Amino acid sequence: MVLSALLLLACLLQVTAKFNLFISQDEVRKLLGLSSELFYVRDGVVNTYAMNFVVPVPANITALHFSWQSLGRNPLPYVWLVEYNNRDAMLEPLFNITPRGVIPTQVQTFSVSLPCTGIRSAEVKIILQLNVTSYSRIQNDTSLLFRRNKICLREYYDTEPSPRNDSIRLDPDTLTSTNATFYVAVTCACVISVCVIAVSFLSYVRNTKSRTQDSLHTSYTSGAYAGNPNVFIRLNSGLSGSYATIASCHKPPLTPTPSPYATSYVATDGSTHHVYCKPASTRGSSRVSYYASSPLIQVPQLEPADRVRKLNVPRRNILTKKLLQEGTFGRVYRGNYLREGEIHSQDVIVKTVSDEASMLQVSMFLSEGTLMYGLIHKHILPVLAANTDPCLPPLLVYPSAAHGNLKRFLSSCRTRGGEHYTIITQDLVEMATQVATAAVYLHTQRIWHRDLATRNCVVDEKLQVKVTDSALSRDLYPADYHCLGDNENRPVKWLAYEALVHRSFSAASDVWAFGVVLWELITLAQDPYSEVDPFEMADYLRDGYRLSQPLNCPDQLFEIMTCCWILEPENRPSFSQLLDCLYDFSNALGRYI
């Protein structure tokens, strides 16, 4: 009888000491890219898998939000303690509740601010310790540790130059060897660990039907993939031609991923974390037609003057309304365009030049602006019309895109006061796939873009990307172009080595530029090679230096970038092979989380 009474009393005490602690669906989506609530404690039961996972906090998130509730009749006493490093990069985290108090009996949401100093860039390791006191001597007190890695960037919100994005030096031999053409590396152990974590989340997370459709947040994927250096090779499964058999791969000794905040050197003895593979030469082309999403019909190529003549419409049909961008001699307006014979006009973008523009600048404007005349593809933004009335600045008309220029859109996503979008890895990979799709179509038309970059893309309200021409880009984005003493303004830091040194352009040089586009997407349009003098770029690339892995970039996505930057053009993958890899990587994101 006494024993039964004690057991009953113990059960009652456990009930009175129960509480819930969770983060809301919006908070989970910002941190992990999942549309669900995540319970760390539910009905007094601790989710140990969730507690053991270190959650990266990207630079644009400045506060953490938790919700909790005591399930007993009385509130439960608590104490919060904080530990963190890199105190010159971040000030002490601050709660908007008292560090010591009681857990309320009603659901309460509270926040922890993580103020970066802006003095330097660093990854700050934070431990939030919660101690909950039980009312009974029979039941133990509860102590929980919440681990977060906060990314702080130097002068992140100011108008100072972008944070330093240093580079790594790749082994020159592997950059020129035909047996080292393609890089494919995926961290097997962390995929397994991510699966385990995802499975453990299932019992604590709501909205189970939509869970598998969401992808990882960019910074979460970095944390997931960076946890273990073990790698595996995906064998040729018949679904993709982008992977070689294990017999054709050379696996050097593994080392940790170099820090993106200090210049890293990958030694010539092969001591890198990469796995080098040579892809099948033809299997990857099987999905070209699918990705192109347009009949592969050759469009006749016309001279610039002929293109302008066919596009010419009366000036009364083009109305400029709101100035969107302005450079030294170029301007971009929002406007309306009325086709001949139609009643209603359509919203358009109008590009033009000022009266001060030279004849050479006008000629380049018309030549570059009509490059994609006649092309029909869902990821190409072609010119609709033109006007070249004498004595007036020429006008070029393009379809409107809700979010405008892709570079400006990405920049607004990472700066305070810009458009608020939670960009997840799935979104960025999909954007990259759309750019590659457009490049495939351009190459079927025997057109090399020569200036593939986020500044030469636009994005609509559904985050669909369209590649456009480079007209006015030199004027509107002058920091991206440099003259190297040859009176030619070129996108030096996007150019392949052979294009930079020998002015040799091809499909392979567009592949190189696409690797930089991928890097721009992951970094939300930071400046590539910001620490390198433009006059030193050729030597820098020849010596094997490349852009380093961004802090929030999954390993496999970085491997896709690096394969685009192989020195020898013939050893770079084709866009069809890149599409295969992006397609598989996108599927893996949806499959594992």
Side-chain angles (χ1 to χ4, degrees):
M1 292 290 290
V2 175
L3 180 60
S4 298
L6 289 174
L7 289 174
L8 178 60
L9 178 60
C11 291
L12 291 174
L13 288 171
Q14 285 180 350
V15 171
T16 58
K18 285 183 178 179
F19 68 96
N20 288 337
L21 195 154
F22 61 97
I23 55 179
S24 67
Q25 180 174 324
D26 289 342
E27 184 75 358
V28 173
R29 178 168 176 80
K30 286 193 297 182
L31 292 174
L32 306 178
L34 298 169
S35 297
S36 313
E37 289 180 337
L38 171 61
F39 276 81
Y40 287 104
V41 182
R42 171 175 276 176
D43 295 334
V45 179
V46 178
N47 181 354
T48 55
Y49 285 111
M51 294 301 306
N52 290 331
F53 185 64
V54 180
V55 179
V57 181
N60 63 312
I61 295 179
T62 58
L64 303 174
H65 299 273
F66 296 87
S67 299
W68 61 2
Q69 178 187 16
S70 173
L71 302 179
R73 295 181 180 179
N74 300 313
L76 294 171
Y78 72 82
V79 176
W80 279 103
L81 302 173
V82 178
E83 294 182 12
Y84 69 104
N85 65 353
N86 290 323
R87 293 173 180 259
D88 55 341
M90 192 183 79
L91 301 176
E92 182 178 359
L94 297 175
F95 290 82
N96 68 346
I97 58 174
T98 59
R100 183 185 300 269
V102 292
I103 302 176
T105 55
Q106 300 295 324
V107 176
Q108 178 194 48
T109 299
F110 61 93
S111 65
V112 187
S113 64
L114 306 175
C116 294
T117 63
I119 297 175
R120 75 180 185 95
S121 299
E123 182 176 4
V124 183
K125 299 184 183 299
I126 306 167
I127 298 178
L128 306 175
Q129 181 176 347
L130 171 63
N131 297 322
V132 179
T133 304
S134 170
Y135 286 116
S136 170
R137 296 180 180 178
I138 299 176
Q139 190 176 26
N140 293 328
D141 296 341
T142 302
S143 182
L144 304 174
L145 298 179
F146 300 88
R147 295 175 174 85
R148 299 291 186 267
N149 285 355
K150 175 69 174 82
I151 306 305
C152 287
L153 299 180
R154 185 175 66 85
E155 301 295 336
Y156 182 75
Y157 295 117
D158 292 342
T159 56
E160 296 296 324
S162 301
R164 180 180 173 112
N165 294 293
D166 293 322
S167 309
I168 59 173
R169 185 178 189 272
L170 302 181
D171 183 355
D173 294 334
T174 62
L175 291 174
T176 56
S177 170
T178 57
N179 292 324
T181 303
F182 203 61
Y183 305 78
V184 179
V186 182
T187 31
C188 179
C190 52
V191 167
I192 296 173
S193 64
V194 169
C195 293
V196 172
I197 293 169
V199 170
S200 67
F201 282 172
L202 296 181
S203 61
Y204 287 84
V205 178
R206 299 175 185 173
N207 304 327
T208 55
K209 290 186 179 180
S210 64
R211 180 166 45 250
T212 56
Q213 300 303 317
D214 290 285
S215 69
L216 293 163
H217 190 280
T218 52
S219 57
Y220 172 64
T221 49
S222 176
Y225 284 128
N228 195 300
N230 296 324
V231 296
F232 73 94
I233 300 299
R234 174 173 176 175
L235 300 181
N236 200 333
S237 61
L239 298 176
S240 167
S242 297
Y243 302 95
T245 62
I246 199 163
S248 65
C249 299
H250 165 63
K251 290 191 282 188
L254 302 175
T255 59
T257 303
S259 167
Y261 289 116
T263 301
S264 304
Y265 180 86
V266 180
T268 56
D269 61 0
S271 57
T272 84
H273 69 288
H274 296 303
V275 175
Y276 308 108
C277 302
K278 183 175 182 179
S281 58
T282 58
R283 295 285 301 280
S285 61
S286 61
R287 285 206 288 255
V288 175
S289 298
Y290 168 77
Y291 281 117
S293 302
S294 293
L296 300 182
I297 300 173
Q298 192 73 28
V299 176
Q301 298 300 308
L302 302 175
E303 293 297 322
D306 294 330
R307 299 197 296 257
V308 172
R309 185 173 61 254
K310 287 181 175 292
L311 287 165
N312 205 45
V313 299
R315 204 171 188 89
R316 65 176 181 273
N317 291 20
I318 305 172
L319 174 64
T320 58
K321 296 169 67 176
K322 180 182 179 182
L323 180 65
L324 299 178
Q325 280 183 273
E326 183 175 16
T328 303
F329 65 87
R331 298 187 181 98
V332 180
Y333 292 88
R334 190 181 303 279
N336 295 105
Y337 168 54
L338 181 64
R339 295 178 184 271
E340 289 292 333
E342 295 187 1
I343 301 176
H344 301 290
S345 62
Q346 68 178 99
D347 293 333
V348 294
I349 298 297
V350 181
K351 292 183 180 181
T352 186
V353 296
S354 65
D355 294 332
E356 290 74 28
S358 66
M359 292 299 297
L360 177 60
Q361 289 168 335
V362 171
S363 177
M364 289 185 62
F365 168 65
L366 294 174
S367 176
E368 294 176 344
T370 58
L371 176 67
M372 298 182 185
Y373 166 72
L375 302 184
I376 301 175
H377 189 277
K378 66 179 182 178
H379 295 304
I380 296 287
L381 190 79
V383 60
L384 293 178
N387 177 268
T388 54
D389 285 357
C391 303
L392 292 173
L395 304 178
L396 293 179
V397 179
Y398 300 82
S400 181
H403 294 309
N405 182 270
L406 177 59
K407 182 179 179 115
R408 300 182 75 192
F409 171 75
L410 293 171
S411 297
S412 73
C413 290
R414 64 178 167 87
T415 56
R416 180 175 293 173
E419 297 181 75
H420 177 69
Y421 282 88
T422 302
I423 301 293
I424 60 177
T425 304
Q426 200 81 39
D427 297 329
L428 298 173
V429 174
E430 181 61 27
M431 288 179 176
T433 301
Q434 292 161 10
V435 174
T437 298
V440 169
Y441 178 71
L442 287 175
H443 291 178
T444 63
Q445 302 301 318
R446 295 292 184 184
I447 295 175
W448 318 137
H449 191 285
R450 298 181 179 227
D451 195 0
L452 205 57
T454 57
R455 62 181 171 272
N456 293 323
C457 299
V458 297
V459 59
D460 65 17
E461 68 280 356
K462 297 181 179 179
L463 299 186
Q464 296 291 299
V465 174
K466 300 178 187 295
V467 175
T468 186
D469 55 65
S470 59
L472 295 186
S473 290
R474 291 172 179 80
D475 185 50
L476 300 176
Y477 302 95
D480 292 350
Y481 294 84
H482 301 89
C483 283
L484 303 182
D486 51 8
N487 294 323
E488 183 179 352
N489 218 6
R490 294 184 288 165
V492 171
K493 296 181 179 181
W494 279 260
L495 291 180
Y497 179 77
E498 70 278 4
L500 180 59
V501 176
H502 305 296
R503 292 175 172 74
S504 174
F505 291 91
S506 64
S509 63
D510 278 355
V511 166
W512 181 296
F514 176 74
V516 183
V517 170
L518 261 179
W519 189 91
E520 286 188 278
L521 287 169
I522 294 299
T523 61
L524 298 181
Q526 289 190 20
D527 296 329
Y529 301 106
S530 59
E531 78 284 8
V532 183
D533 187 297
F535 285 88
E536 298 175 357
M537 275 300 299
D539 294 338
Y540 198 79
L541 298 179
R542 184 196 58 216
D543 292 342
Y545 287 95
R546 302 292 184 269
L547 290 166
S548 67
Q549 183 172 0
L551 195 62
N552 58 343
C553 179
D555 291 345
Q556 187 178 1
L557 203 55
F558 182 60
E559 297 299 337
I560 296 175
M561 296 181 205
T562 55
C563 76
C564 296
W565 302 325
I566 297 174
L567 194 62
E568 296 297 332
E570 62 272 15
N571 290 340
R572 295 172 204 151
S574 66
F575 271 108
S576 59
Q577 291 170 330
L578 292 171
L579 280 168
D580 275 344
C581 284
L582 291 170
Y583 176 83
D584 292 342
F585 179 67
S586 179
N587 279 351
L589 287 178
R591 182 166 61 248
Y592 290 123
I593 297 296

